[in-house]
Structures are given as C-alpha cells and as structure tokens.
C-alpha cells in the first residue's frame, strides 16, 4: 500500500488521468443503459396500467416464469419485432431480462426505433423473484 501512495505522488499526472478515464467510463455506461426502476416501482406502474413489460429472455427462460402480462420478444429479434410495440408508445415500456445485464442494449435499440419512454427493470427477473413477486408459468 505504501508503494501505491509513492507511485501516485511520483506520477500524479498519470494517476489523475487514470481516475478521469474511470469516471468518464462510469458516466458513459450509466447514461447509455437508460434509467432503471425497482421491482416495486414496476409493480406500481403495471397496476396503474401505465406500463407494459417486455421480456427479452429467450422462449425457454420465458416459459419457466414470466411477469403477468409481459410480452416476450427475445433480444436477438427485438430490432425486427419492434413494430409490435407501436401500440404501447404512449405507455412506459419496462425491459426485463434474466439479471439486468442485457436490458441496456434493448433500451438503446428501442430508443433508436423512436420509443422514448423506455426503462429497464433493475436486477431483472432475479430481482423480481428476490422481492417475492409472482411469476406466471405457461
């Protein structure tokens, strides 16, 4: 640890550039994925009929359990099937995936298709399960 402090003191320009790059990458990644909502906030939006859930998992995972009323459009076919969501442009679209890792790509794709009111479910379906919220099986 002493060597780290010695390095930072001796090479303060290099260390400050490293910190600046880390902050820039963090800021870019946070904005790129869009905003996220918690499982409880998603429940409130769904119950008020102000939101629709788009599940981007594959059909096999979707069949093991899904949020009631969710629409399954796998991530790899989202761009070609985005027109199916045109009737929901006036509602908030919540993107749900398995663990919240791929939903930012889906948000970016839908934003490019003209959907402005898109958020991602923080933590995905696993966060939904952890909150003891119900899943429907086919």
């Amino acid at each position: 640890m002493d060597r780290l402090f010695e390095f930072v003191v001796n090479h303060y320009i290099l260390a400050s550039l490293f910190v600046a790059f880390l902050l820039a990458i963090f800021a870019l990644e946070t904005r790129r994925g869009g905003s996220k909502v918690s499982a409880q906030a998603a429940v409130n939006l769904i119950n008020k009929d102000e939101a629709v859930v788009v599940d981007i998992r594959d059909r096999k995972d979707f069949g093991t359990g899904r949020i009631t009323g969710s629409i399954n459009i796998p991530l790899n076919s989202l761009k070609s099937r985005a027109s199916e969501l045109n009737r929901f442009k006036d509602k908030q679209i919540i993107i749900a995936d398995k663990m919240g890792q791929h939903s930012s790509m889906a948000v970016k794709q839908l934003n490019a298709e003209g959907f402005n009111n898109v958020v991602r479910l923080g933590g995905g379906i696993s966060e939904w399960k952890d909150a003891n919220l119900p899943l429907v099986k086919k």
Side-chain angles (χ1 to χ4, degrees):
M1 192 61 126
D2 293 332
R3 299 184 96 200
L4 176 66
F5 291 125
E6 181 182 346
F7 179 82
V8 170
V9 170
N10 290 336
H11 305 285
Y12 63 91
I13 294 174
L14 184 62
S16 61
L17 283 174
F18 177 72
V19 170
F21 282 130
L22 281 179
L23 291 174
I25 289 172
F26 179 74
L28 178 68
E29 288 298 318
T30 347
R31 287 190 322 181
R32 186 172 104 181
S35 61
K36 63 181 175 179
V37 294
S38 67
Q40 192 57 48
V43 168
N44 291 339
L45 288 169
I46 294 166
N47 287 342
K48 291 179 185 176
D49 199 31
E50 295 175 358
V52 63
V53 178
V54 176
D55 196 324
I56 59 170
R57 299 177 296 159
D58 60 17
R59 185 170 297 281
K60 178 183 160 196
D61 288 336
F62 185 73
T64 61
R66 60 182 173 88
I67 298 172
T68 304
S70 62
I71 301 167
N72 180 236
I73 302 178
L75 181 60
N76 56 6
S77 62
L78 183 63
K79 196 167 195 164
S80 62
R81 293 179 57 189
S83 61
E84 295 177 26
L85 300 173
N86 283 338
R87 59 187 170 154
F88 302 115
K89 276 199 174 188
D90 59 332
K91 292 186 177 186
Q92 179 123 36
I93 296 176
I94 302 172
I95 303 293
D97 65 349
K98 191 171 185 175
M99 297 180 65
Q101 296 172 335
H102 303 290
S103 57
S104 61
M105 288 188 293
V107 170
K108 187 177 178 183
Q109 285 181 8
L110 287 177
N111 284 338
E113 294 289 328
F115 294 90
N116 298 322
N117 206 4
V118 184
V119 294
R120 55 192 171 103
L121 180 62
I125 297 294
S126 64
E127 182 71 28
W128 186 272
K129 286 181 190 176
D130 291 344
N132 290 324
L133 294 168
L135 290 175
V136 178
K137 294 185 179 184
K138 281 190 169 183

